Amino acid sequence: LLDTVFDVLHLVTVLAARRDVDAARIGVTGISLGGMHAFWAAALDERIACAAPMIGVQHWKWAVENNQWQGRVDSLAALFAAATADLGELSVTPKVVTEVWMRLLPGLLNGYDLPVLLPCVCPRPLLIANGELDPRCPLGGVLEA
């Protein structure tokens, strides 16, 4: 995930260097995983003037704490099945989910989850479009952040 966000930041550099691009008006958008990339890129790079992630924005820690992680886990079933076995658990639990997130993205739940990243985009325009019933990106966590 983070390597692809780096790719987006590199693309911003390329676009900003072009004479036919107004570097002050570069925006990002994306759907689902692309929405994650767009949001994180905007949080990390002030050269991005605005962002409109469509789906993909989520509060990872909130999902674990509020038992709303199943939709995201289901989208990565093989990974979580292997992690469950490696951790000696009988089924996927919040502990397994937390361990996977922390191994894939160390520090995610405390260091750069949605409540930390959201203020990094401000005061630039940000439109988050998440479905009210989206099981992968629960709206409750977005609203709380």
Side-chain angles (χ1 to χ4, degrees):
L1 180 63
L2 296 180
D3 57 336
T4 310
V5 173
F6 178 79
D7 293 341
V8 173
L9 300 181
H10 181 69
L11 179 59
V12 171
T13 299
V14 170
L15 287 171
R18 292 181 55 106
R19 292 173 26 185
D20 61 337
V21 171
D22 181 348
R25 298 181 66 184
I26 295 173
V28 293
T29 190
I31 298 172
S32 195
L33 181 58
M36 285 186 201
H37 297 153
F39 175 72
W40 287 20
L44 295 172
D45 194 330
E46 292 181 355
R47 297 176 301 166
I48 296 173
C50 63
M54 305 298 151
I55 316 172
V57 176
Q58 70 182 77
H59 186 334
W60 302 81
K61 186 174 183 179
W62 181 92
V64 172
E65 292 175 346
N66 290 277
N67 199 33
Q68 297 290 313
W69 44 264
Q70 294 81 2
R72 178 65 55 206
V73 167
D74 290 346
S75 70
L76 301 164
L79 168 67
F80 279 93
T84 299
D86 286 350
L87 292 168
E89 298 286 334
L90 298 176
S91 63
V92 180
T93 64
K95 174 188 171 190
V96 172
V97 175
T98 299
E99 288 293 324
V100 169
W101 294 150
M102 297 310 287
R103 288 183 189 182
L104 290 178
L105 300 160
L108 171 67
L109 300 182
N110 297 312
Y112 55 98
D113 201 354
L114 187 57
V116 174
L117 292 182
L118 196 54
C120 295
V121 180
C122 296
R124 294 168 288 148
L126 172 66
L127 170 66
I128 298 174
N130 272 32
E132 184 176 356
L133 302 177
D134 183 350
R136 292 185 180 143
C137 301
L139 188 58
V142 176
L143 295 174
E144 181 179 298

